[in-house]
Amino acid sequence: YGSATAKEAAVARLLQMAVETSSGSMFHPTTFRNAAMKAGVVPRLVSLMRDGDEHAQYICAGALQALALDDPTTALDNGHQAAICQAGAVPLLVRMLKGGKPARGSAREMGVYEALQTSAAAAIGTLAESEVCKRMIVQAGAIEPLVAIAMFGSDQTKLTAIGALDVMQFNAADVKAQVSSAGAPSLLKGLQQYGSDILRESATDVLAGLSQPTKQLTPEQRVEGVKELRLKHQDRREELMEQARIMYGGVRTPFKVTNPEARSQQIEYLPG
């Protein structure tokens, strides 16, 4: 019932508490995420993301991603991803991916456009760890815009988008075919040749995944395999953010929000 500013501040704090790992924290992040899910925050986040402004959409996507992060040491949070998708988050995240690029926008407008897409792609890459979510994401039309932003975005956006595609294609012949039809192989070969070291590594991995035949996996094997993929791409995004922090003082966006992927330290986006 608060003002728009108060709601966004609450979401930003929720995002931070869902990932904070400092020893002085009262709650373990997984405990907090479980409590937040039980308290019914997801429908409120989805509502704010649907009706709010660009800043609200950005931080809500980050908060949903944070709530969807799966702790590999416990099964207590295994249902969070599916619950978020079933609450209506997927169409809104795909809408953010497809957001129209300003024809002649200012630097800030272009920054907002890319920040929204990167935040949405990161959330989709985390949610797609769930088979239920993956099917909803594919059906909502996420593949083509992910390929597009991997082609034209910043290194951070490219890395986030191809990571999401990799998680989605894992051991799924129909998704591999759709990703390939959308032009991903030529894009990835270009990144192998001209991208940064981190992008080259990720592009090589995704190309290898697309070429692998599907296997008969148990549910447990699928969970472990896709989790390993998601964590690998998450680590690479954190590595790229750390490089940006060392070289430029941080990842520059039009917003200031705690990074939802920093598991060991708090890194903040700096105002653009």
Side-chain angles (χ1 to χ4, degrees), residues 174-191:
D174 60 327
V175 181
K176 291 176 189 287
Q178 290 186 53
V179 172
S180 296
S181 295
S186 60
L187 160 71
L188 294 167
K189 289 174 183 176
L191 292 176

Side-chain angles (χ1 to χ4, degrees), residues 16 18 63 69 76 121 145 165 196 220 248-249 255:
Q16 182 178 347
L69 290 173
L76 293 176
L165 289 168
S196 65
E220 292 78 14
Y248 309 115
F255 311 119

Side-chain angles (χ1 to χ4, degrees), residues 96-162:
M96 289 170 64
L97 285 181
K98 295 179 176 179
K101 185 176 182 179
R104 293 184 179 180
S106 65
R108 185 186 184 283
E109 288 171 333
M110 297 299 290
V112 168
Y113 165 77
E114 188 163 282
L116 290 174
Q117 289 188 319
T118 306
S119 184
I124 284 173
T126 301
L127 292 168
E129 188 176 341
S130 158
E131 184 70 19
V132 170
C133 289
K134 179 174 76 175
R135 291 299 159 188
M136 295 175 71
I137 291 166
V138 171
Q139 187 174 4
I143 291 175
E144 288 191 3
L146 282 171
V147 172
I149 66 175
M151 187 176 300
F152 298 110
S154 65
D155 278 8
Q156 184 66 37
T157 302
K158 287 183 172 74
L159 197 62
T160 306
I162 64 176

